[in-house]
Amino acid sequence: QGPLVESGGGSVRAGGSLRLSCVAPGYAYNSYCMGWFRQAPGKEREGVAAIGSGGSTLYTDSVKGRFTISKDNAKNTLYLQMNSLRPEDTATYYCAADGLDIATTCRPVDKEYVYWGQGTQVTVSS
């Protein structure tokens, strides 16, 4: 189990919403980049969204306009608001932090992240 702890997953019908949360210890949360990733059964892990300390965000095309990544610095918490959910969004969702304090363009590319959570399951039924 990684140092980050996700919660908020569940089962919803298509069109529904969920908000995922990820609480991180200070040494991880102070990373410049944090992100959300997901892995569906039989598929490789894919990046969903990333956010930099300055608030810049980047999303994979399939979730643009539906998902929003955000941070609450007072709570050391990363969020992923997911609206208009689709069956193809079904996956285990993971949060991650890059462990660096270098300003850069934050991308949801998993090899760039070193701290991970254990994942939370999201199931969307049609």
Side-chain angles (χ1 to χ4, degrees), residues 4 12 14 21 35 38-39 41 53 93 101 104 112 115-116 120 123:
L4 284 63
V12 296
S21 299
R38 65 187 179 186
Q39 186 167 22
S53 293
Y93 283 71
D101 61 0
T104 186
E112 298 180 0
Y115 299 121
W116 291 85
T120 186
T123 302

Side-chain angles (χ1 to χ4, degrees), residues 33-118:
C33 298
M34 296 190 74
W36 285 98
F37 299 80
R38 65 187 179 186
Q39 186 167 22
K43 295 186 177 182
E44 293 187 354
R45 186 166 58 194
E46 67 167 338
V48 175
I51 186 168
S53 293
S56 60
T57 59
L58 198 66
Y59 298 90
T60 193
D61 287 345
S62 63
V63 308
K64 286 180 180 177
R66 301 189 297 124
F67 290 11
T68 303
I69 187 172
S70 62
K71 298 175 68 178
D72 185 335
N73 294 334
K75 298 180 179 180
N76 279 18
T77 301
L78 177 73
Y79 298 102
L80 185 68
Q81 178 67 45
M82 305 186 296
N83 299 327
S84 302
L85 282 162
R86 305 168 179 169
E88 53 264 39
D89 295 318
T90 295
T92 300
Y93 283 71
Y94 301 88
C95 63
D98 72 354
L100 301 175
D101 61 0
I102 300 171
T104 186
T105 299
C106 297
R107 306 177 300 163
V109 177
D110 59 1
K111 65 180 180 181
E112 298 180 0
Y113 293 77
V114 296
Y115 299 121
W116 291 85
Q118 81 291 347

